[in-house]
Amino acid sequence: MDIFALIEEEQQRQASGINLIASENSVSDNVMRAMGSVFTNKYAEGYPGKRWYGGCAVTDRIEQYAIDKAKKLFGADHANVQPHSGTSANIGAYMALLKPGDKVLAFNLSHGGHLSHGAPFNLSGKFFQFIHYGVRKDDGLIDVDEVKRMFKEHKDIKLMVAGASSYPRAIDFEALASIAREHEAAFMADIAHISGLVATGRHPSPVACSDVVTMSTHKTLRGPRGGMVLCKEEHKSAVDRAIFPGSQGGPLEHIIAAKAVMLDEALQPDFKKYIDAVIAAAKELAKALAAINPKRYRVLTGGTDNHMVMIDVTGDGKLNGIQAEKTLEKQNIYINKNFIPYDPLPVTVTSGIRLGTPMIVSQGATAADMGRIAKLMDAALDGKDVAKDVSVFMKELAKR
Ligand code: DSN
């Protein structure tokens, strides 16, 4: 098989289709270069200055640089840049803060949470005792009263986890952390989706009110596929030990090099402009779809505060999530089907779709393009062939 021909084909797919998958992005050439660098050849178990291999002097400099930049970007006491993914960052955080079997309160997966927040088939759910809070049925917002109730019912909650994969509104980390503190539980924020917004002050930061903050680095932060943990000084050695040797072996230093490049980019004023454009585009996309057909596109919570839009597509009786995903894919528009809170349909079908603007904005789109994208989506969902129009749009973007 010609692997490089397939890489070329994938590059073409990414360049010529409209990608609205909320967790994807398109990295800079420098991030890509660092990922493909000779650091992939290097073993460096341990941390800068304390390695289990010789020849780590240059590696130490780059990892320390990434640590320092992550601390600066997020205003954190400590950063661990070694997690291979957001899930690995979460596993490390649990190992640092908990003993096996401890009770953890986290956001319900079927309301927009994440597998690594205690799904029974995930390592988190097998080794810790997770219970879950969700959103209110009437407005789709996190049910703070339910959180309070659960803390009253369960006296032994050791950790509360906040953060979501499909929640379009700002999360009041401070309020949730103060409930956790009141009940002597630790507080962890998983900002995988909103890390770019937090880094730029476009979403309230949980760093000051959390014991530990975890994230992936490839979503709104626009870095390489990977994870990071931030924590208070008091948790530094527990977190570092939990990542290595607790749950990982050799760090991916080529990815850490790429994280360093990404962190430098995220500290530039242009990154703030990028995140502003992502949020503005998401708001506009929600508005445009609802204006076309409010029944077909029931925008959950009525809009968005971040980079994503959650939509119930079942309202006009013609679609469900998987049908929408498959139909759009045939026209080179990429989205994902998504559970919506209290979804009556199975997870393989779903009533919802999740849309996001990080990638299309990285490719040059703005809020002003969202009306056109919404029309293309709607025509595709009506069974029309719009692949050519999609390609014309993407060619236009490439020239901007
Ligand atoms: N699956 C990722 C997402 O799409 O949100 C999270 O792991």
Side-chain angles (χ1 to χ4, degrees):
M1 186 183 287
D2 187 344
I3 300 297
F4 292 95
L6 290 182
I7 292 172
E8 182 66 33
E9 212 177 296
E10 174 60 9
Q11 195 165 350
Q12 270 309 313
R13 186 195 69 80
Q14 291 186 17
S16 58
I18 296 176
N19 190 323
L20 299 172
I21 293 177
S23 48
E24 294 184 5
N25 211 326
S26 179
V27 301
S28 69
D29 290 347
N30 282 341
V31 167
M32 201 65 98
R33 262 176 66 210
M35 272 191 278
S37 70
V38 290
F39 277 109
T40 195
N41 299 335
K42 188 72 198 97
Y43 248 116
E45 281 176 353
Y47 290 101
K50 293 168 279 177
R51 304 284 190 181
W52 291 86
Y53 294 83
C56 286
V58 187
T59 304
D60 278 3
R61 277 162 57 199
I62 207 147
E63 187 168 334
Q64 190 58 52
Y65 184 86
I67 292 168
D68 293 342
K69 292 290 166 165
K71 284 164 62 177
K72 181 171 179 199
L73 182 64
F74 289 98
D77 291 353
H78 177 60
N80 185 307
V81 297
Q82 291 193 2
H84 301 333
S85 68
T87 293
S88 304
N90 287 345
I91 299 302
Y94 302 145
M95 281 189 63
L97 298 171
L98 301 169
K99 291 192 195 66
D102 275 352
K103 197 175 276 182
V104 186
L105 177 62
F107 190 45
N108 194 335
L109 175 62
S110 67
H111 287 202
H114 191 254
L115 292 177
S116 63
H117 296 182
F121 39 80
N122 182 264
L123 185 149
S124 55
K126 287 189 190 294
F127 287 88
F128 304 100
Q129 202 191 331
F130 272 81
I131 51 174
H132 292 99
Y133 61 95
V135 299
R136 291 188 293 253
K137 212 167 187 174
D138 54 354
D139 60 7
L141 300 180
I142 288 173
D143 189 346
V144 178
D145 291 334
E146 188 186 15
V147 171
K148 289 181 184 157
R149 234 179 8 252
M150 291 193 82
F151 268 111
K152 279 203 180 104
E153 273 167 32
H154 300 264
K155 298 285 173 212
D156 52 349
I157 296 171
K158 294 285 191 295
L159 172 70
M160 175 172 185
V161 182
S165 278
S166 352
Y167 185 70
R169 292 298 181 179
I171 298 174
D172 191 345
F173 291 117
E174 293 256 1
L176 296 172
S178 85
I179 301 169
R181 261 197 308 276
E182 224 175 273
H183 294 86
E184 289 168 13
F187 186 78
M188 165 179 153
D190 177 345
I191 58 167
H193 263 270
I194 55 169
S195 49
L197 284 70
V198 170
T200 50
R202 272 47 178 175
H203 186 292
S205 171
V207 170
C209 67
S210 306
D211 291 278
V212 171
V213 176
T214 61
M215 71 194 81
S216 48
T217 47
H218 47 271
K219 296 186 175 95
T220 50
L221 215 40
R222 206 162 57 179
R225 203 151 273 283
M228 291 201 299
V229 183
L230 311 173
C231 67
K232 296 257 186 290
E233 190 62 34
E234 65 190 279
H235 300 302
K236 175 179 169 175
S237 65
V239 163
D240 283 354
R241 272 202 315 274
I243 299 295
F244 174 82
S247 55
Q248 292 189 174
L252 311 177
E253 293 294 344
H254 58 308
I255 299 296
I256 290 173
K259 286 173 186 169
V261 174
M262 167 274 285
L263 289 160
D264 260 342
E265 290 175 359
L267 281 158
Q268 303 309 312
D270 269 359
F271 191 68
K272 282 196 173 73
K273 287 191 202 150
Y274 162 68
I275 293 292
D276 284 340
V278 165
I279 298 168
K283 284 184 194 301
E284 202 50 45
L285 185 60
K287 243 193 259 164
L289 286 166
I292 289 173
N293 183 346
K295 260 197 175 164
R296 173 179 279 179
Y297 308 106
R298 183 173 73 85
V299 177
L300 302 192
T301 77
T304 180
D305 295 327
N306 57 32
H307 61 296
M308 79 170 67
V309 185
M310 295 296 304
I311 294 179
D312 175 359
V313 290
T314 61
D316 65 357
K318 293 184 183 148
L319 279 175
N320 58 41
I322 186 70
Q323 283 166 347
E325 179 187 307
K326 296 290 176 209
T327 307
L328 290 169
E329 181 161 2
K330 284 195 192 122
Q331 304 300 326
N332 302 335
I333 300 173
Y334 307 107
I335 61 134
N336 65 278
K337 69 175 183 306
N338 216 97
F339 244 164
I340 58 170
Y342 306 98
D343 204 323
L345 297 179
V347 68
T348 47
V349 179
T350 81
S351 300
I353 59 173
R354 186 184 67 168
L355 309 176
T357 51
M359 186 148 179
I360 197 72
V361 170
S362 286
Q363 290 172 308
T366 68
D369 296 307
M370 294 303 123
R372 186 164 162 197
I373 290 180
K375 279 189 195 140
L376 287 171
M377 279 181 67
D378 193 56
L381 290 172
D382 274 339
K384 301 201 175 97
D385 189 349
V386 298
K388 247 198 202 126
D389 301 311
V390 167
S391 162
V392 167
F393 174 68
M394 292 307 291
K395 277 190 187 132
E396 272 178 45
L397 280 195
K399 285 195 201 130
R400 282 185 192 165

